[in-house]
């Protein structure tokens, strides 16, 4: 299996992976909108024998505090075709994506997802205690790519318009 940055020729396959993994078009619509609006920070595919079997996307969000807008990235969505789920593809995509974000100089990653799954990568709901989000709850988690990046950060997480428009 090969994990690599998406290319324009991957777009139909990425849409198909998201549609199949999530059982509908919402996440594919979100990916297309984020890409169209220039908000994608990183988009990776997992390819097996020339076939795209997984996808992960990171997009720009901001934490609006009293004194500044703190940049962060949102991990959403991450998809693996159902026939290949629970085979390590998702974990490989998450690790590769986090490494790429770290190499791009990002410090904070936010996710709304299954707490047991994402905690294995270091995501924690406790790190979001000073953040307000439209996705509050135990599934709203953060990861510091730079230790201490969230220590003095509080405020409202501002997701881009495509998230609000996503059905």
């Amino acid at each position: 299996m090969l994990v690599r940055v998406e290319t324009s020729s991957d777009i139909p396959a990425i849409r198909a992976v998201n549609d199949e993994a999530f059982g509908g078009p919402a996440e594919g619509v979100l990916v297309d909108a984020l890409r169209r609006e220039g908000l994608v920070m990183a988009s990776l595919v997992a390819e097996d024998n020339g076939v795209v079997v997984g996808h992960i996307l990171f997009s720009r969000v901001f934490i609006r505090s009293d004194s500044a807008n703190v940049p962060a990235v949102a991990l959403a969505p991450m998809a693996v075709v159902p026939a290949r789920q629970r085979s390590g593809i998702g974990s490989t995509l998450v690790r590769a994506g986090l490494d790429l974000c770290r190499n791009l100089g990002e410090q904070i990653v936010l996710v709304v997802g299954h707490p047991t799954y994402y905690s294995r990568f270091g995501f924690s709901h406790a790190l979001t205690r000073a953040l307000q989000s439209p996705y509050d709850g135990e599934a709203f988690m953060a990861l510091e790519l730079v230790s201490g990046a969230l220590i003095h950060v509080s405020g409202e997480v501002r997701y881009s318009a495509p998230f609000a428009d996503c059905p």
Side-chain angles (χ1 to χ4, degrees):
M1 184 181 64
L2 170 69
V3 173
R4 60 175 176 74
V5 172
E6 77 167 37
T7 65
S8 60
S9 64
D10 295 320
I11 291 173
I14 289 169
R15 183 52 146 350
V17 166
N18 278 284
D19 289 357
E20 188 177 345
F22 290 103
E27 282 75 11
V29 169
L30 173 63
V31 169
D32 290 344
L34 291 168
R35 191 183 294 115
R36 187 174 49 252
E37 304 238 353
L39 299 168
V40 174
M41 302 303 297
S43 182
L44 302 174
V45 295
E47 182 181 86
D48 190 20
N49 292 318
V51 177
V52 175
V53 295
H55 173 250
I56 193 167
L57 187 132
F58 297 83
S59 63
R60 174 63 67 213
V61 295
F62 290 94
I63 302 166
R64 186 179 207 171
S65 71
D66 291 337
S67 59
N69 283 330
V70 178
V73 291
L75 186 172
M78 192 273 290
V80 176
V81 294
R84 299 295 300 274
Q85 291 175 0
R86 294 177 177 70
S87 66
I89 295 170
S91 294
T92 300
L93 282 166
V94 171
R95 287 186 186 97
L98 293 175
D99 286 345
L100 179 55
C101 287
R102 191 177 288 109
N103 290 338
L104 291 171
E106 297 298 332
Q107 297 186 26
I108 302 165
V109 181
L110 304 171
V111 70
V112 177
H114 195 282
T116 303
Y117 182 79
Y118 285 100
S119 66
R120 74 176 83 171
F121 306 104
F123 284 93
S124 168
H125 176 66
L127 288 173
T128 66
R129 67 183 161 271
L131 305 178
Q132 296 83 48
S133 165
Y135 309 107
D136 281 337
E138 190 176 316
F140 176 55
M141 296 171 279
L143 171 69
E144 296 174 321
L145 295 176
V146 174
S147 182
L150 281 164
I151 287 177
H152 300 292
V153 176
S154 64
E156 179 187 0
V157 177
R158 291 298 198 76
Y159 287 85
S160 59
F163 281 93
D165 296 340
C166 186

